[in-house]
Amino acid sequence: MLFQINFKSGMPVYLQLVDQVKAAAASGELKPGEALPSIRPLAEELRLNRNTVAKAYAELESLGVIESLPGKGCFLKQNHSPLRKEIRRKLLIEEIDQAIVMAHHLQVPGREFLELIQQRMDSFEHKRRANEEHKEK
Amino acid sequence: MNSPTPAIEIKNLAYAYRKAEAVHDLSFRVQPGRCYGLFGRNGAGKTTTMKCLLNLLRPQRGLARVFGLEPGKAEVEVKRRLAYVPDQLAFYPWMTVRETLDYLASFREHWNQKKEQELFDRFGLHPSKRTDALSKGQRTQLALIAAICPEPELLVLDEPTSGLDPIVRREFIETVIGAYQEGHPGSRTILVSTHLIAEFEGLIDEFTIIDQGAAVLTLEADTARERYQRIRARFSQAPPEMELKGALRVRREGRELELIANGGGPPLMESLRKHNPETLTTEALTLEEIFVAALKS
Protein backbone atom coordinates (compact mmCIF):
# COMPACT_ATOMS: atom_id res chain seq x y z
CA MET A 1 0.00 0.00 0.00
CA LEU A 2 1.05 3.56 -0.60
CA PHE A 3 1.26 5.97 2.27
CA GLN A 4 1.02 9.70 2.19
CA ILE A 5 2.41 11.93 4.91
CA ASN A 6 1.14 15.44 5.38
CA PHE A 7 3.22 17.55 7.74
CA LYS A 8 0.62 20.30 7.57
CA SER A 9 -2.12 18.18 9.14
CA GLY A 10 -0.77 18.83 12.62
CA MET A 11 -1.24 15.16 13.44
CA PRO A 12 1.75 13.18 14.77
CA VAL A 13 3.43 11.41 11.87
CA TYR A 14 3.26 7.91 13.33
CA LEU A 15 -0.50 8.31 13.88
CA GLN A 16 -0.94 9.25 10.24
CA LEU A 17 0.60 5.90 9.32
CA VAL A 18 -1.56 4.06 11.86
CA ASP A 19 -4.73 5.71 10.56
CA GLN A 20 -3.89 4.96 6.94
CA VAL A 21 -3.40 1.26 7.64
CA LYS A 22 -6.66 1.15 9.61
CA ALA A 23 -8.51 2.93 6.79
CA ALA A 24 -7.01 0.61 4.17
CA ALA A 25 -8.14 -2.38 6.23
CA ALA A 26 -11.66 -0.98 6.62
CA SER A 27 -12.04 -0.30 2.90
CA GLY A 28 -10.63 -3.68 1.89
CA GLU A 29 -7.72 -2.04 0.12
CA LEU A 30 -5.51 -4.13 2.38
CA LYS A 31 -6.69 -7.69 2.94
CA PRO A 32 -6.12 -10.03 5.86
CA GLY A 33 -2.86 -11.89 5.43
CA GLU A 34 -1.50 -9.26 3.07
CA ALA A 35 1.99 -7.94 3.80
CA LEU A 36 2.76 -4.38 4.78
CA PRO A 37 5.90 -2.78 3.41
CA SER A 38 8.98 -3.51 5.52
CA ILE A 39 10.09 -0.79 7.86
CA ARG A 40 13.39 0.12 6.24
CA PRO A 41 12.28 0.64 2.61
CA LEU A 42 9.13 2.41 3.75
CA ALA A 43 11.09 4.79 5.97
CA GLU A 44 13.54 5.47 3.15
CA GLU A 45 10.82 6.04 0.61
CA LEU A 46 8.87 8.44 2.80
CA ARG A 47 12.10 9.93 4.13
CA LEU A 48 10.82 9.37 7.65
CA ASN A 49 12.78 8.51 10.75
CA ARG A 50 12.96 4.73 10.95
CA ASN A 51 11.76 4.88 14.57
CA THR A 52 8.60 6.70 13.50
CA VAL A 53 7.65 3.85 11.17
CA ALA A 54 8.62 1.26 13.79
CA LYS A 55 6.46 3.07 16.36
CA ALA A 56 3.47 3.04 13.99
CA TYR A 57 3.86 -0.70 13.35
CA ALA A 58 4.24 -1.41 17.07
CA GLU A 59 1.06 0.55 17.72
CA LEU A 60 -0.81 -1.36 15.00
CA GLU A 61 0.40 -4.61 16.46
CA SER A 62 -0.74 -3.73 19.97
CA LEU A 63 -4.13 -2.74 18.55
CA GLY A 64 -4.36 -6.18 16.96
CA VAL A 65 -4.56 -4.76 13.43
CA ILE A 66 -1.35 -6.36 12.19
CA GLU A 67 0.88 -9.17 13.33
CA SER A 68 4.60 -9.32 12.94
CA LEU A 69 6.20 -12.64 12.08
CA PRO A 70 9.90 -12.65 12.94
CA GLY A 71 12.03 -12.75 9.80
CA LYS A 72 9.00 -12.48 7.53
CA GLY A 73 7.53 -9.04 8.12
CA CYS A 74 4.21 -7.56 9.12
CA PHE A 75 0.84 -8.77 7.91
CA LEU A 76 -2.73 -7.57 8.23
CA LYS A 77 -4.65 -9.72 10.69
CA GLN A 78 -8.15 -11.05 10.44
CA ASN A 79 -10.29 -8.38 12.00
CA HIS A 80 -10.36 -9.52 15.61
CA SER A 81 -10.02 -6.71 18.06
CA PRO A 82 -8.52 -7.99 21.30
CA LEU A 83 -10.77 -5.58 23.23
CA ARG A 84 -14.02 -6.54 24.93
CA LYS A 85 -17.21 -5.43 23.24
CA GLU A 86 -18.16 -2.79 25.80
CA ILE A 87 -14.69 -1.24 25.51
CA ARG A 88 -14.88 -1.24 21.75
CA ARG A 89 -18.26 0.50 21.99
CA LYS A 90 -16.91 3.02 24.47
CA LEU A 91 -13.99 3.90 22.18
CA LEU A 92 -16.36 4.35 19.27
CA ILE A 93 -18.71 6.53 21.31
CA GLU A 94 -15.84 8.89 22.10
CA GLU A 95 -15.13 9.31 18.41
CA ILE A 96 -18.82 9.79 17.60
CA ASP A 97 -19.10 12.45 20.30
CA GLN A 98 -16.19 14.28 18.73
CA ALA A 99 -17.92 14.25 15.38
CA ILE A 100 -21.19 15.47 16.95
CA VAL A 101 -19.39 18.40 18.58
CA MET A 102 -17.78 19.18 15.25
CA ALA A 103 -21.15 19.01 13.48
CA HIS A 104 -22.61 21.44 16.00
CA HIS A 105 -19.84 23.96 15.40
CA LEU A 106 -20.11 23.61 11.65
CA GLN A 107 -23.89 24.08 11.90
CA VAL A 108 -24.74 20.72 10.38
CA PRO A 109 -28.17 19.70 11.74
CA GLY A 110 -28.74 16.28 13.27
CA ARG A 111 -30.70 14.75 10.42
CA GLU A 112 -28.12 15.84 7.87
CA PHE A 113 -25.39 14.46 10.12
CA LEU A 114 -27.09 11.05 10.21
CA GLU A 115 -27.52 11.08 6.43
CA LEU A 116 -23.83 11.81 6.09
CA ILE A 117 -22.94 8.86 8.28
CA GLN A 118 -25.10 6.60 6.13
CA GLN A 119 -23.47 8.00 3.00
CA ARG A 120 -19.97 7.43 4.32
CA MET A 121 -20.80 3.88 5.40
CA ASP A 122 -22.19 3.19 1.92
CA SER A 123 -19.05 4.62 0.43
CA PHE A 124 -16.82 2.31 2.47
CA GLU A 125 -19.08 -0.64 1.69
CA HIS A 126 -18.84 0.24 -2.00
CA LYS A 127 -15.05 0.38 -1.89
CA ARG A 128 -14.87 -2.87 0.02
CA ARG A 129 -17.06 -4.63 -2.52
CA ALA A 130 -15.07 -3.21 -5.40
CA ASN A 131 -11.87 -4.43 -3.79
CA GLU A 132 -13.35 -7.90 -3.26
CA GLU A 133 -14.59 -8.17 -6.85
CA HIS A 134 -11.18 -7.17 -8.04
CA LYS A 135 -9.66 -9.90 -5.94
CA GLU A 136 -11.96 -12.58 -7.40
CA LYS A 137 -10.98 -11.72 -10.98
CA MET B 1 13.89 8.27 37.96
CA ASN B 2 16.96 6.78 36.38
CA SER B 3 17.16 8.30 32.94
CA PRO B 4 19.83 7.12 30.50
CA THR B 5 22.95 9.23 30.07
CA PRO B 6 22.20 11.71 27.29
CA ALA B 7 24.19 11.13 24.09
CA ILE B 8 24.88 14.85 24.06
CA GLU B 9 24.59 17.47 26.73
CA ILE B 10 25.33 21.13 26.17
CA LYS B 11 24.92 23.41 29.14
CA ASN B 12 25.42 27.19 29.22
CA LEU B 13 27.99 26.81 26.49
CA ALA B 14 29.87 29.93 25.40
CA TYR B 15 32.60 30.37 22.84
CA ALA B 16 34.05 33.53 21.31
CA TYR B 17 36.53 33.92 18.48
CA ARG B 18 38.57 36.84 19.83
CA LYS B 19 35.78 39.25 20.69
CA ALA B 20 33.11 37.88 18.38
CA GLU B 21 30.88 35.68 20.50
CA ALA B 22 29.75 32.73 18.37
CA VAL B 23 27.89 30.76 21.03
CA HIS B 24 26.34 32.42 24.02
CA ASP B 25 24.78 30.49 26.89
CA LEU B 26 23.48 27.60 24.78
CA SER B 27 21.88 24.55 26.39
CA PHE B 28 20.24 21.44 24.97
CA ARG B 29 20.31 17.71 25.43
CA VAL B 30 19.98 14.78 23.05
CA GLN B 31 18.71 11.43 24.32
CA PRO B 32 20.17 8.25 22.82
CA GLY B 33 18.41 7.00 19.70
CA ARG B 34 16.95 10.31 18.69
CA CYS B 35 17.47 12.42 15.63
CA TYR B 36 18.09 15.95 16.82
CA GLY B 37 18.10 19.01 14.59
CA LEU B 38 20.11 22.11 15.22
CA PHE B 39 18.53 24.78 13.07
CA GLY B 40 20.00 28.20 12.52
CA ARG B 41 20.94 30.73 9.89
CA ASN B 42 24.48 30.95 8.60
CA GLY B 43 26.69 32.10 11.44
CA ALA B 44 24.18 31.23 14.18
CA GLY B 45 26.75 29.13 16.05
CA LYS B 46 25.91 25.61 14.85
CA THR B 47 29.39 24.64 13.68
CA THR B 48 31.06 26.15 16.76
CA THR B 49 28.75 24.07 18.96
CA MET B 50 29.61 20.89 17.08
CA LYS B 51 33.30 21.64 17.25
CA CYS B 52 33.04 21.90 21.03
CA LEU B 53 31.53 18.38 21.08
CA LEU B 54 34.45 17.03 19.03
CA ASN B 55 37.20 18.75 21.00
CA LEU B 56 38.10 20.82 17.97
CA LEU B 57 37.36 23.81 20.20
CA ARG B 58 37.45 24.07 23.99
CA PRO B 59 34.35 25.60 25.57
CA GLN B 60 35.24 28.88 27.25
CA ARG B 61 32.26 28.68 29.58
CA GLY B 62 29.69 26.01 30.33
CA LEU B 63 30.03 22.38 29.39
CA ALA B 64 29.79 20.03 26.45
CA ARG B 65 29.41 16.30 27.15
CA VAL B 66 29.21 13.37 24.78
CA PHE B 67 28.00 10.07 26.30
CA GLY B 68 28.52 11.82 29.64
CA LEU B 69 32.21 12.33 28.87
CA GLU B 70 34.18 15.52 28.50
CA PRO B 71 35.52 15.64 24.91
CA GLY B 72 38.71 17.43 26.04
CA LYS B 73 39.55 14.74 28.60
CA ALA B 74 38.24 11.58 26.97
CA GLU B 75 38.86 12.48 23.35
CA VAL B 76 39.73 8.97 22.17
CA GLU B 77 36.76 7.35 23.86
CA VAL B 78 34.39 10.00 22.49
CA LYS B 79 35.74 9.82 18.94
CA ARG B 80 35.71 6.03 19.00
CA ARG B 81 31.96 6.10 19.47
CA LEU B 82 30.97 8.82 17.03
CA ALA B 83 31.42 9.84 13.41
CA TYR B 84 31.47 13.38 12.11
CA VAL B 85 30.69 14.68 8.65
CA PRO B 86 31.98 18.28 8.63
CA ASP B 87 30.65 21.02 6.39
CA GLN B 88 34.08 21.38 4.75
CA LEU B 89 35.22 17.97 3.58
CA ALA B 90 38.92 17.34 3.30
CA PHE B 91 40.55 14.19 1.93
CA TYR B 92 44.13 13.55 0.91
CA PRO B 93 43.97 14.52 -2.76
CA TRP B 94 46.48 11.89 -3.95
CA MET B 95 44.56 8.98 -2.40
CA THR B 96 41.95 7.01 -4.30
CA VAL B 97 38.49 6.37 -2.90
CA ARG B 98 39.60 2.87 -1.88
CA GLU B 99 42.78 4.10 -0.21
CA THR B 100 40.89 6.81 1.62
CA LEU B 101 38.42 4.31 3.07
CA ASP B 102 41.21 1.88 4.02
CA TYR B 103 43.06 4.74 5.69
CA LEU B 104 40.00 5.89 7.62
CA ALA B 105 39.05 2.32 8.52
CA SER B 106 42.50 1.80 10.03
CA PHE B 107 41.52 4.14 12.86
CA ARG B 108 38.38 2.16 13.60
CA GLU B 109 38.02 -1.03 15.59
CA HIS B 110 34.89 -1.95 13.68
CA TRP B 111 34.05 -1.57 9.98
CA ASN B 112 30.99 -3.10 8.32
CA GLN B 113 32.22 -4.39 4.95
CA LYS B 114 28.77 -5.41 3.83
CA LYS B 115 27.46 -1.94 4.38
CA GLU B 116 30.42 -0.48 2.55
CA GLN B 117 29.64 -2.60 -0.50
CA GLU B 118 25.95 -1.76 -0.29
CA LEU B 119 26.73 1.96 -0.28
CA PHE B 120 29.27 1.67 -3.09
CA ASP B 121 26.57 0.01 -5.19
CA ARG B 122 23.99 2.58 -4.26
CA PHE B 123 26.19 5.58 -5.06
CA GLY B 124 28.04 4.08 -7.99
CA LEU B 125 31.37 5.36 -6.70
CA HIS B 126 34.56 4.16 -8.40
CA PRO B 127 37.08 2.81 -5.86
CA SER B 128 40.04 3.66 -8.10
CA LYS B 129 39.15 7.30 -8.58
CA ARG B 130 41.41 9.86 -6.90
CA THR B 131 39.62 12.00 -4.32
CA ASP B 132 40.71 15.23 -6.02
CA ALA B 133 38.78 14.12 -9.11
CA LEU B 134 35.50 13.65 -7.22
CA SER B 135 32.55 16.01 -7.56
CA LYS B 136 31.14 17.71 -4.48
CA GLY B 137 28.32 15.17 -4.38
CA GLN B 138 30.72 12.24 -4.60
CA ARG B 139 32.92 13.71 -1.87
CA THR B 140 29.87 13.87 0.37
CA GLN B 141 29.00 10.28 -0.49
CA LEU B 142 32.52 9.18 0.37
CA ALA B 143 32.34 11.01 3.70
CA LEU B 144 29.00 9.36 4.41
CA ILE B 145 30.36 5.87 3.71
CA ALA B 146 33.29 6.60 6.01
CA ALA B 147 30.88 7.78 8.73
CA ILE B 148 28.40 4.90 8.49
CA CYS B 149 30.66 1.84 8.11
CA PRO B 150 32.09 2.04 11.67
CA GLU B 151 28.42 1.94 12.85
CA PRO B 152 28.97 4.61 15.48
CA GLU B 153 26.53 5.32 18.30
CA LEU B 154 26.40 8.97 17.30
CA LEU B 155 26.44 10.57 13.89
CA VAL B 156 27.21 14.29 13.81
CA LEU B 157 26.29 15.96 10.53
CA ASP B 158 27.17 19.60 9.92
CA GLU B 159 25.20 21.14 7.05
CA PRO B 160 25.50 17.85 5.19
CA THR B 161 23.33 18.66 2.19
CA SER B 162 24.06 22.29 1.43
CA GLY B 163 25.45 22.85 -2.03
CA LEU B 164 24.37 19.42 -3.31
CA ASP B 165 21.94 18.70 -6.11
CA PRO B 166 18.46 17.43 -5.18
CA ILE B 167 19.15 13.82 -6.18
CA VAL B 168 22.29 13.57 -4.03
CA ARG B 169 20.47 15.29 -1.14
CA ARG B 170 17.61 12.81 -1.34
CA GLU B 171 20.02 9.87 -1.47
CA PHE B 172 21.96 11.25 1.45
CA ILE B 173 18.89 11.35 3.65
CA GLU B 174 17.65 7.94 2.52
CA THR B 175 21.07 6.52 3.35
CA VAL B 176 21.05 8.01 6.83
CA ILE B 177 17.62 6.49 7.42
CA GLY B 178 18.26 3.13 5.82
CA ALA B 179 21.91 2.30 6.29
CA TYR B 180 22.61 4.17 9.51
CA GLN B 181 19.37 3.86 11.45
CA GLU B 182 19.21 0.12 10.86
CA GLY B 183 20.62 -1.26 14.06
CA HIS B 184 19.80 -1.12 17.73
CA PRO B 185 17.60 2.00 18.01
CA GLY B 186 19.17 3.08 21.32
CA SER B 187 22.62 3.28 19.76
CA ARG B 188 21.80 5.24 16.64
CA THR B 189 21.73 8.90 17.59
CA ILE B 190 21.91 11.71 15.06
CA LEU B 191 22.75 15.37 15.55
CA VAL B 192 22.27 17.31 12.36
CA SER B 193 22.74 21.01 11.82
CA THR B 194 21.09 22.55 8.81
CA HIS B 195 19.30 25.52 7.40
CA LEU B 196 17.71 23.31 4.72
CA ILE B 197 15.06 22.17 7.12
CA ALA B 198 12.35 20.89 4.78
CA GLU B 199 14.29 17.88 3.58
CA PHE B 200 14.97 16.67 7.13
CA GLU B 201 11.39 17.24 8.24
CA GLY B 202 10.49 13.55 8.52
CA LEU B 203 13.70 12.59 10.22
CA ILE B 204 13.76 15.09 13.06
CA ASP B 205 12.42 13.97 16.46
CA GLU B 206 13.33 17.11 18.32
CA PHE B 207 15.10 20.35 17.49
CA THR B 208 16.62 23.54 18.79
CA ILE B 209 16.53 26.72 16.79
CA ILE B 210 19.57 28.82 17.56
CA ASP B 211 20.11 32.43 16.69
CA GLN B 212 23.14 34.56 17.48
CA GLY B 213 24.56 31.77 19.57
CA ALA B 214 21.57 31.22 21.84
CA ALA B 215 18.61 28.83 21.79
CA VAL B 216 15.41 30.48 20.61
CA LEU B 217 13.15 27.44 20.68
CA THR B 218 13.45 23.77 21.65
CA LEU B 219 10.57 21.42 20.85
CA GLU B 220 9.57 17.94 19.72
CA ALA B 221 8.77 18.05 16.00
CA ASP B 222 5.25 16.62 16.38
CA THR B 223 4.48 19.00 19.25
CA ALA B 224 5.78 21.94 17.24
CA ARG B 225 3.55 21.13 14.28
CA GLU B 226 0.59 20.74 16.60
CA ARG B 227 1.27 24.04 18.32
CA TYR B 228 2.10 26.31 15.42
CA GLN B 229 -0.92 26.82 13.19
CA ARG B 230 -1.87 28.99 10.28
CA ILE B 231 -5.50 30.02 10.51
CA ARG B 232 -7.29 31.53 7.54
CA ALA B 233 -10.72 33.12 7.62
CA ARG B 234 -12.73 34.79 4.88
CA PHE B 235 -15.62 37.06 5.70
CA SER B 236 -18.48 38.40 3.60
CA GLN B 237 -17.19 41.93 4.21
CA ALA B 238 -13.96 43.43 5.42
CA PRO B 239 -12.85 41.49 8.51
CA PRO B 240 -14.28 43.03 11.68
CA GLU B 241 -11.93 44.68 14.12
CA MET B 242 -11.38 42.24 16.93
CA GLU B 243 -8.85 41.49 19.55
CA LEU B 244 -6.69 38.60 18.41
CA LYS B 245 -4.80 37.74 21.53
CA GLY B 246 -2.03 35.25 21.15
CA ALA B 247 -1.60 35.59 17.39
CA LEU B 248 2.05 35.79 16.41
CA ARG B 249 1.29 37.52 13.17
CA VAL B 250 -1.84 38.87 11.53
CA ARG B 251 -2.24 39.58 7.84
CA ARG B 252 -5.28 41.26 6.38
CA GLU B 253 -6.01 41.22 2.67
CA GLY B 254 -9.42 42.35 1.47
CA ARG B 255 -12.00 40.10 3.11
CA GLU B 256 -9.39 37.64 4.29
CA LEU B 257 -7.51 37.29 7.50
CA GLU B 258 -4.50 35.07 8.13
CA LEU B 259 -3.06 34.41 11.56
CA ILE B 260 -0.12 32.49 12.82
CA ALA B 261 -0.85 31.00 16.24
CA ASN B 262 1.58 29.51 18.70
CA GLY B 263 -0.47 27.25 20.94
CA GLY B 264 -3.48 29.58 21.08
CA GLY B 265 -5.15 28.12 17.99
CA PRO B 266 -8.44 26.87 19.45
CA PRO B 267 -9.44 30.11 21.29
CA LEU B 268 -8.46 32.16 18.24
CA MET B 269 -10.64 29.92 16.04
CA GLU B 270 -13.45 30.39 18.55
CA SER B 271 -13.28 34.18 18.43
CA LEU B 272 -13.13 34.18 14.63
CA ARG B 273 -16.13 31.85 14.46
CA LYS B 274 -18.21 34.34 16.44
CA HIS B 275 -17.98 36.72 13.49
CA ASN B 276 -19.50 34.16 11.13
CA PRO B 277 -16.74 33.75 8.56
CA GLU B 278 -17.59 32.27 5.16
CA THR B 279 -14.65 29.92 5.46
CA LEU B 280 -12.36 29.08 8.33
CA THR B 281 -9.43 26.73 7.88
CA THR B 282 -6.37 25.76 9.81
CA GLU B 283 -3.15 23.95 8.96
CA ALA B 284 0.05 23.17 10.80
CA LEU B 285 3.23 25.04 10.00
CA THR B 286 6.09 22.95 8.69
CA LEU B 287 9.35 22.99 10.64
CA GLU B 288 10.80 25.40 8.11
CA GLU B 289 7.88 27.78 8.55
CA ILE B 290 8.20 27.47 12.33
CA PHE B 291 11.87 28.35 11.99
CA VAL B 292 10.98 31.51 10.06
CA ALA B 293 8.19 32.41 12.50
CA ALA B 294 10.45 31.89 15.51
CA LEU B 295 13.20 34.08 14.12
CA LYS B 296 10.91 36.83 12.89
CA SER B 297 8.90 37.36 16.06
Side-chain angles (χ1 to χ4, degrees), chain B residues 180-191:
Chain B
Y180 178 64
Q181 283 201 312
E182 195 180 47
H184 188 271
S187 55
R188 292 287 191 270
T189 309
I190 301 166
L191 176 67

Side-chain angles (χ1 to χ4, degrees), chain B residues 114-153:
Chain B
K114 220 179 105 197
K115 227 155 229 184
E116 189 195 270
Q117 192 53 52
E118 176 198 319
L119 295 177
F120 259 118
D121 294 346
R122 169 179 266 189
F123 296 147
L125 269 184
H126 288 290
S128 57
K129 204 164 183 181
R130 269 172 61 125
T131 60
D132 59 356
L134 297 177
S135 68
K136 185 165 198 297
Q138 291 169 326
R139 294 166 72 81
T140 306
Q141 290 169 337
L142 177 57
L144 191 58
I145 297 179
I148 286 179
C149 289
E151 306 192 300
E153 285 166 67

Side-chain angles (χ1 to χ4, degrees), chain A residues 61-122:
Chain A
E61 199 175 357
S62 75
L63 290 170
V65 178
I66 63 171
E67 62 184 332
S68 117
L69 303 176
K72 286 190 177 160
C74 292
F75 301 86
L76 192 72
K77 267 173 81 168
Q78 284 290 352
N79 197 3
H80 283 309
S81 170
L83 301 174
R84 295 210 322 273
K85 185 164 183 195
E86 42 199 288
I87 295 175
R88 278 183 275 147
R89 285 178 62 109
K90 192 169 157 269
L91 287 172
L92 187 58
I93 286 170
E94 282 170 15
E95 294 293 320
I96 294 173
D97 286 356
Q98 287 270 344
I100 292 174
V101 170
M102 185 93 173
H104 171 80
H105 283 288
L106 297 175
Q107 290 120 54
V108 176
R111 198 183 322 138
E112 203 180 318
F113 178 72
L114 289 175
E115 280 167 16
L116 273 172
I117 289 191
Q118 192 58 56
Q119 259 180 40
R120 296 312 300 157
M121 289 186 76
D122 291 347

